[in-house]
Amino acid sequence: MKKAASLTEIGFSPDAKHHLFSPLPDAEPAARTSRHIKITVVGCGNVGMAIAQTILTQDIADEIALVDAQPNKLRGEMLDLQHAAAFLPRVKIASSTDYEITAGSDLAIITAGARQNPGETRLDLLQRNLAIFKKIVPPLAQYSPDCILLVVSNPVDVLTYITWKLSGFPPNRVIGSGTNLDSSRFRFLLADHLNVNAQDVQAYMVGEHGDSSVALWSSISVGGVPVISSLEKNDINLSVEMLEATRKAVVDSAYEVISLKGYTSWAIGYSVASLAFSLLRHQRRILPVSLLAKGFYGIPEDREVFLSLPAQIGRGGILGVVNIHLTEEEAKRLRRSAETLWECQTQLGI
């Protein structure tokens, strides 16, 4: 008896994937690339260097370019990494305040940005970051017109929108780190409570990377077992207050780290390195990242907002948005999150 070489030969519909994923409008195919992988990291603060260090140890790139406005700190960080050459995979590490060094990048990661001053409004902070991004994004786009732009700076969703507008890139090649780390924190809390490995927990935070993020309780599973329905079958009901308290614990966990050590770095370093690996090695993993969300889940077509949704990512950036089932309450919260972001964007004047 002949063995089937694929599910298509067995009778599965070859169009099944088109029902699972929806493409972004105006998306473009991935550019052809050589096997030499170059990553640029803009911003050599705690987050930028945690990302660079994690990328180095995971052997993702052949070349890393570091860019920062402070030349002495920049050179010091470069030398510190170079001096570890005997313990790392062979990677060329270079740095400069001139964006010409970024030429030919496959992925440009932006971590630079202004911090909020005491008493400063969110709009004032966004205006200062807009001015900074006007100096960062155009030269990145100029020197690496085929790259993927990955924004990590906060507020990440609005800054990803700004990056898209300033770069002129198709939306599939402009991505924000979004709620990828929030989802990891969510999975950790659930795994810790259930005493399982976090990698066996499927759980997403979506929407804004911030206070209005949405926990998708309806789709949580552990080892393939739907958590909420399984608990309900055993007469274990979770109140709305308990679910909201858990969501708030996820949001507040970042603030706790900042209050204790002054900043977050290692978790975001691993989160972004995971995104870089998935993008550049074309892993086609499904991860919650900030993307152009208009038209999805009832978000109006005229709302050009970036927020996090589970998406398949690879060498072309966003390959498709997962058609995940949302409850009416989850969809309502997601649209509310989109409106919050839209109100901020409309005041920027770009």
Side-chain angles (χ1 to χ4, degrees):
M1 179 179 176
K2 182 185 176 184
K3 292 183 179 179
S6 68
L7 292 183
T8 302
E9 291 184 16
I10 294 173
F12 277 72
S13 169
D15 296 323
K17 64 182 179 181
H18 301 304
H19 300 292
L20 296 175
F21 304 99
S22 297
L24 284 183
D26 305 318
E28 292 184 0
R32 291 195 173 189
T33 183
S34 66
R35 295 187 66 180
H36 180 90
I37 294 177
K38 180 175 180 178
I39 296 176
T40 286
V41 178
V42 180
C44 291
N46 296 314
V47 171
M49 294 316 299
I51 291 169
Q53 188 267 346
T54 311
I55 286 172
L56 270 175
T57 58
Q58 295 188 3
D59 196 16
I60 298 171
D62 300 291
E63 182 177 355
I64 295 177
L66 304 175
V67 180
D68 197 275
Q70 301 180 50
N72 290 338
K73 176 175 172 53
L74 177 63
R75 179 167 171 76
E77 295 287 8
M78 177 194 71
L79 291 173
D80 208 6
L81 290 178
Q82 288 177 335
H83 295 167
F87 318 113
L88 294 168
R90 187 175 184 276
V91 179
K92 179 183 177 182
I93 305 169
S95 69
S96 178
T97 57
D98 190 331
Y99 282 85
E100 187 175 2
I101 199 170
T102 69
S105 293
D106 297 287
L107 175 67
I109 302 169
I110 304 173
T111 72
R115 291 186 178 182
Q116 194 163 11
N117 295 323
E120 185 177 33
T121 67
R122 188 178 186 184
L123 181 59
D124 288 339
L125 175 62
L126 280 171
Q127 291 289 2
R128 286 202 295 133
N129 275 315
L130 174 58
I132 292 171
F133 271 51
K134 284 181 177 178
K135 298 177 182 178
I136 294 173
V137 177
L140 286 176
Q142 175 190 345
Y143 286 113
S144 301
D146 295 322
C147 78
I148 297 169
L149 293 170
L150 176 55
V151 182
V152 181
S153 313
N154 280 317
V156 67
D157 301 295
V158 179
L159 291 180
T160 306
Y161 165 78
I162 286 172
T163 299
W164 175 54
K165 285 295 187 181
L166 293 175
S167 67
F169 280 13
N172 56 302
R173 288 201 285 120
V174 182
I175 305 169
S177 56
T179 59
N180 192 47
L181 178 52
D182 306 64
S183 297
S184 177
R185 290 171 176 144
F186 192 21
R187 292 166 68 187
F188 163 74
L189 286 177
L190 293 167
D192 187 53
H193 181 72
L194 299 170
N195 196 27
V196 297
N197 192 309
Q199 294 185 2
D200 293 320
V201 178
Q202 187 87 358
Y204 295 117
M205 299 284 287
V206 299
E208 180 196 14
H209 170 61
D211 295 340
S212 71
S213 59
V214 182
L216 297 187
W217 288 101
S218 63
S219 62
I220 294 174
S221 66
V222 176
V225 178
V227 171
I228 299 300
S229 60
S230 178
L231 292 175
E232 289 174 347
K233 284 178 183 176
N234 290 281
D235 297 322
I236 302 174
N237 293 311
L238 300 176
S239 67
V240 173
E241 291 76 18
M242 289 172 62
L243 299 181
E244 176 56 23
T246 306
R247 187 200 71 85
K248 194 172 187 306
V250 174
V251 173
D252 290 345
S253 60
Y255 298 131
E256 182 182 9
V257 174
I258 293 169
S259 70
L260 292 170
K261 62 177 274 189
Y263 55 89
T264 63
S265 57
W266 297 119
I268 187 63
Y270 280 102
S271 171
V272 174
S274 172
L275 292 175
F277 183 86
S278 299
L279 289 164
L280 298 177
R281 299 293 175 86
H282 199 54
Q283 294 296 292
R284 288 172 278 197
R285 288 193 63 193
I286 296 169
L287 297 168
V289 291
S290 190
L291 50 82
L292 182 60
K294 66 175 184 177
F296 293 106
Y297 301 106
I299 297 172
E301 289 282 352
D302 62 347
R303 297 293 196 259
E304 292 185 328
V305 294
F306 277 71
L307 51 73
S308 288
L309 295 171
Q312 187 183 49
I313 65 174
R315 194 60 191 81
I318 302 293
L319 305 179
V321 178
V322 182
N323 296 323
I324 196 168
H325 172 73
L326 303 184
T327 65
E328 183 51 43
E329 179 60 27
E330 288 168 346
K332 189 187 301 182
R333 289 189 175 210
L334 183 65
R335 291 191 290 269
R336 194 181 306 146
S337 189
E339 282 301 314
T340 299
L341 292 166
W342 178 251
E343 288 171 9
C344 288
Q345 289 177 193
T346 54
Q347 300 177 67
L348 290 173
I350 62 169

